[in-house]
């Protein structure tokens, strides 16, 4: 019914780029804040970035500021995460999630995608 699906992950060399997509079905993404999270093996899920509902407000974790960019696609029901200058420590499963407002708290998000693997290695 209400689903989010991530895509765009893969294997990339350090310094490379990837663009992740979060596609929605069953609801309109413009009415929700969309957060990107990531989880590395043995670690808790952490917030990466978020874009506010309808507006253009965004926020980023300190570890990705200046390298990652979140934005909404106007032609389809999709939110993107552009990742540049990737580092090995960016390796994780990346998830998108929907909430009424941006928040770093994982438990506040109701709708989650299945995740997409990003591996940064030479």
């Amino acid at each position: 019914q209400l689903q989010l699906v991530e895509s765009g992950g893969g294997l990339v060399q350090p310094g490379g780029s990837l663009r992740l997509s979060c596609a929605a079905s069953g609801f309109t993404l413009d009415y929700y804040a969309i957060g990107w999270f990531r989880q590395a093996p043995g670690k808790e899920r952490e917030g990466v970035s978020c874009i506010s509902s309808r507006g253009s407000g965004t926020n980023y974790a300190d570890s990705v500021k200046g390298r990652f960019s979140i934005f909404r696609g106007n032609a389809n029901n999709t939110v993107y995460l552009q990742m540049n200058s990737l580092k090995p420590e960016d390796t994780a499963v990346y998830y998108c999630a929907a909430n009424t407002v941006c928040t770093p708290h994982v438990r506040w998000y109701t709708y989650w995608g299945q995740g997409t693997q990003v591996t940064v290695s030479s």
Side-chain angles (χ1 to χ4, degrees):
Q1 186 178 340
L2 301 177
Q3 299 182 64
L4 297 171
V5 179
E6 303 94 336
S7 62
L11 175 64
V12 64
Q13 295 186 53
S17 298
L18 286 173
R19 180 176 291 182
L20 305 184
S21 299
C22 177
S25 63
F27 62 99
T28 302
L29 253 54
D30 285 351
Y31 293 100
Y32 292 85
I34 302 298
W36 281 97
F37 297 80
R38 65 187 182 187
Q39 187 167 22
K43 294 187 176 182
E44 296 295 319
R45 197 168 300 180
E46 63 174 349
V48 175
S49 182
C50 190
I51 186 166
S52 63
S53 60
R54 296 193 178 187
S56 59
T58 60
N59 56 57
Y60 301 90
D62 288 341
S63 60
V64 306
K65 284 182 178 178
R67 300 189 296 121
F68 290 12
S69 179
I70 188 171
F71 59 96
R72 296 179 183 271
N74 293 321
N76 56 1
N77 208 23
T78 307
V79 169
Y80 300 94
L81 183 69
Q82 178 67 44
M83 306 187 297
N84 299 322
S85 302
L86 284 162
K87 305 174 180 179
E89 48 263 47
D90 295 318
T91 296
V93 177
Y94 283 71
Y95 302 87
C96 66
N99 191 41
T100 54
V101 296
C102 283
T103 173
H105 300 291
V106 171
R107 292 175 58 89
W108 287 23
Y109 289 82
T110 301
Y111 307 110
W112 290 87
Q114 85 289 348
T116 185
Q117 177 70 49
V118 172
T119 302
V120 185
S121 177
S122 59

